Amino acid sequence: MLALKKAKKFNGSILVAQKGNLLLHKGYGNRNFRDGLACDSSSIYQIASVTKPFTAVLALKLAEQKKLSLEDKIEKYYDDFPKASTVTISHLLNHTSGISDHQPDSSEARYDSEEKTFIELLKKRPFDFDPGTSWKYSNSGYILLGYIIEKVSGLTYYDAIIQYVFKPLKMNQSGFDFTALKDKRKAVGYWTFPDHKTDEPAKLIHYSAPAAAGAIYSTTGDLYKFHVGLQSEKLVRASVLENAYTPVIGNYGYGWFVDYFNGRRLVHHSGDIWGFKSEFARVPEDDICIVMLSNIEDEELHGITIKILSILYGLPYQMPAENKVALTQEELKEYEGKYELRPNEFIALTVKNDILQGNGQVLYAQKKDLFMLDNGREQRELTFERNSAGKILGFKFRNGEIETFCKKN
């Protein structure tokens, strides 16, 4: 993690646990760059869409209590909603409802999710597909699910999460109103890694906007308590979680992306909101939990998860790339331009703060005309070619056995 911090690929707090043992739990970098305050194991962050596993568990708990059924049609709650007789709660949970996040009217209040306004706006949007026929990630579907939870529980969504999840698990550092939170452990969010103490923090979004799709703030320790609660069946039965970890279409179950690593089922979710990034990954079979919370929004965290899992399972992994030579601003500017990947598709290289970037990803100088692209999951060398006059003609890279040349326009 120190190498990732040095390469400006991680700033925040991390927890790694296996079979009840905390292998790593600490902070790296600053939770507030202007004041020089360090991240630590108790720093508090917005977790954005990592809220969805909580919303899903709450819905499953209410189903266990017979307060709702996963096969309930939403016409039971909103009888005039389009396709209300075919959209089920199960569809909302696994993003197969077809309910769109598309915003057709520029006058819509994008972040207004007060129930009446939200439902009326949602009713105007065309479905992306017929319910149950395809998959597309939908924050709107989860916000709608939150309102249904309120109707069946008799509580606000927020009070229901507190009663059914936070209190039983003693998640005392978790809540919703991050904007109003007065706590010295609260992290300040940034769009990108600050280069100066005067860099402005990202604007905060009020928790009522993402609501059941992304309202929660928390700590690495509290999210580990959630993992333990799931592993121990303190929240819902193991058989119910088995359904949650079983995708119907694509690789999404109920509140979790479901993949495999080293023959084991890996359930995970990431979160992304202005100024913050989160990653919550679990291997239930081996009781592995990885939590990363960052106050830098443009960081890529899932690739770090894969590296950590590789270490835990004794598999090969790559150290993060870093600059091996220091090129001047003038030297870096030579590489700027558009490079043709394939007909009508280009890679734009730009220089920002003395860093060469390709479509937003950092290129690390290994030597003149040789750079390393590292997206966290894989590394790829880019070799630039010049003509006899020293002018850059393009770059080449290899993908397996195939070498591709991208001509500079």
Side-chain angles (χ1 to χ4, degrees):
M1 294 306 295
L2 285 173
L4 290 165
K5 174 183 176 292
K6 181 181 177 183
K8 296 186 177 181
K9 291 188 175 183
F10 183 73
N11 187 93
S13 302
I14 180 171
L15 179 147
V16 180
Q18 185 175 27
K19 298 186 184 304
N21 297 313
L22 288 180
L23 306 179
L24 176 66
H25 193 196
K26 62 185 301 185
Y28 296 87
N30 294 303
R31 71 174 184 268
N32 184 328
F33 281 84
R34 183 171 296 175
D35 296 337
L37 300 176
C39 298
D40 58 30
S41 59
S42 63
S43 297
I44 303 170
Y45 306 80
Q46 293 193 85
I47 67 171
S49 284
V50 173
T51 297
K52 289 182 176 69
F54 288 86
T55 302
V57 163
L58 179 53
L60 295 172
K61 184 66 177 180
L62 294 171
E64 273 193 343
Q65 295 178 343
K66 309 297 184 185
K67 293 184 178 180
L68 59 78
S69 166
L70 300 187
E71 299 311 312
D72 279 347
K73 308 294 193 301
I74 63 171
E75 65 180 350
K76 184 175 180 179
Y77 310 101
Y78 300 99
D79 57 7
D80 61 343
F81 197 89
K83 301 184 187 290
S85 63
T86 55
V87 177
T88 67
I89 288 177
S90 180
H91 290 147
L92 297 178
L93 281 166
N94 60 22
H95 298 296
T96 60
S97 69
I99 291 175
S100 178
D101 276 334
H102 174 61
Q103 184 180 342
D105 182 354
S106 61
S107 66
E108 282 189 13
R110 181 180 177 188
Y111 297 107
D112 186 352
S113 58
E114 292 297 321
E115 183 179 11
K116 183 176 180 181
T117 303
F118 174 78
I119 296 298
E120 289 306 310
L121 291 174
L122 205 58
K123 285 161 60 176
K124 297 176 184 177
R125 299 177 183 172
F127 275 62
D128 289 327
F129 48 81
D130 288 332
T133 64
S134 189
W135 184 92
K136 189 175 182 181
Y137 193 83
S138 176
N139 286 303
S140 294
Y142 262 74
I143 293 172
L144 178 60
L145 180 59
Y147 288 127
I148 292 173
I149 285 170
E150 292 186 339
K151 294 178 185 300
V152 301
S153 69
L155 301 167
T156 68
Y157 164 78
Y158 312 103
D159 286 341
I161 288 286
I162 291 170
Q163 176 174 312
Y164 286 100
V165 184
F166 288 175
K167 282 187 175 179
L169 299 181
K170 294 181 170 55
M171 294 178 61
N172 300 323
Q173 302 306 318
S174 301
F176 305 97
D177 195 351
F178 191 75
T179 303
L181 179 65
K182 304 295 183 185
D183 193 305
K184 63 181 181 181
R185 296 164 294 186
K186 175 180 174 180
V188 176
Y190 300 87
W191 303 107
T192 60
F193 203 103
D195 290 304
H196 310 284
K197 287 189 175 183
T198 56
D199 285 358
E200 285 297 318
K203 179 181 177 181
L204 292 178
I205 298 173
H206 192 267
Y207 73 97
S208 64
I216 293 175
Y217 66 76
S218 192
T219 65
T220 48
D222 267 12
L223 290 179
Y224 180 60
K225 291 178 181 178
F226 184 48
H227 165 78
V228 172
L230 294 173
Q231 292 291 107
S232 64
E233 300 184 74
K234 191 167 185 177
L235 297 176
V236 291
R237 298 190 310 272
S239 59
V240 174
L241 285 176
E242 182 64 27
N243 289 330
Y245 302 156
T246 305
V248 176
I249 299 175
N251 68 331
Y252 200 94
Y254 293 154
W256 298 96
F257 285 95
V258 183
D259 293 305
Y260 285 84
F261 185 90
N262 197 39
R264 302 291 199 271
R265 185 162 47 188
L266 170 64
V267 299
H268 60 98
H269 215 295
S270 61
D272 186 340
I273 198 167
W274 293 359
F276 294 89
K277 207 67 166 283
S278 56
E279 168 84 358
F280 188 22
R282 305 169 51 238
V283 182
E285 182 180 348
D286 292 335
D287 192 12
I288 290 174
C289 177
I290 300 170
V291 184
M292 284 177 280
L293 302 180
S294 174
N295 56 332
I296 309 293
E297 188 184 350
D298 70 354
E299 290 186 336
E300 202 286 319
L301 301 181
H302 191 63
I304 302 175
T305 291
I306 300 304
K307 292 181 187 293
I308 293 171
L309 288 172
S310 297
I311 294 170
L312 293 178
Y313 286 108
L315 300 174
Y317 65 96
Q318 295 173 321
M319 291 296 289
E322 57 183 320
N323 289 318
K324 292 186 178 179
V325 297
L327 299 179
T328 66
Q329 178 88 356
E330 184 178 350
E331 288 173 319
L332 289 172
K333 285 285 186 181
E334 290 185 63
Y335 301 104
E336 282 194 323
K338 290 175 64 177
Y339 295 77
E340 189 173 32
L341 178 61
R342 55 181 66 92
N344 299 316
E345 186 176 346
F346 298 90
I347 297 173
L349 299 188
T350 58
V351 176
K352 182 179 180 182
N353 298 326
D354 296 328
I355 297 172
L356 183 64
Q357 301 181 50
N359 288 3
Q361 296 190 62
V362 174
L363 300 180
Y364 298 91
Q366 308 301 292
K367 62 181 181 180
K368 185 177 180 179
D369 293 343
L370 177 63
F371 288 78
M372 183 74 76
L373 173 65
D374 184 352
N375 64 10
R377 304 182 194 183
E378 61 178 352
Q379 295 176 344
R380 183 169 293 161
E381 288 186 346
L382 277 62
T383 303
F384 288 83
E385 296 187 354
R386 299 173 183 261
N387 62 17
S388 58
K391 182 180 179 181
I392 292 176
L393 300 175
F395 67 79
K396 62 183 178 182
F397 67 90
R398 183 173 293 278
N399 186 8
E401 297 299 316
I402 301 174
E403 186 173 85
T404 300
F405 180 76
C406 298
K407 181 183 178 181
K408 185 176 184 181
N409 276 25

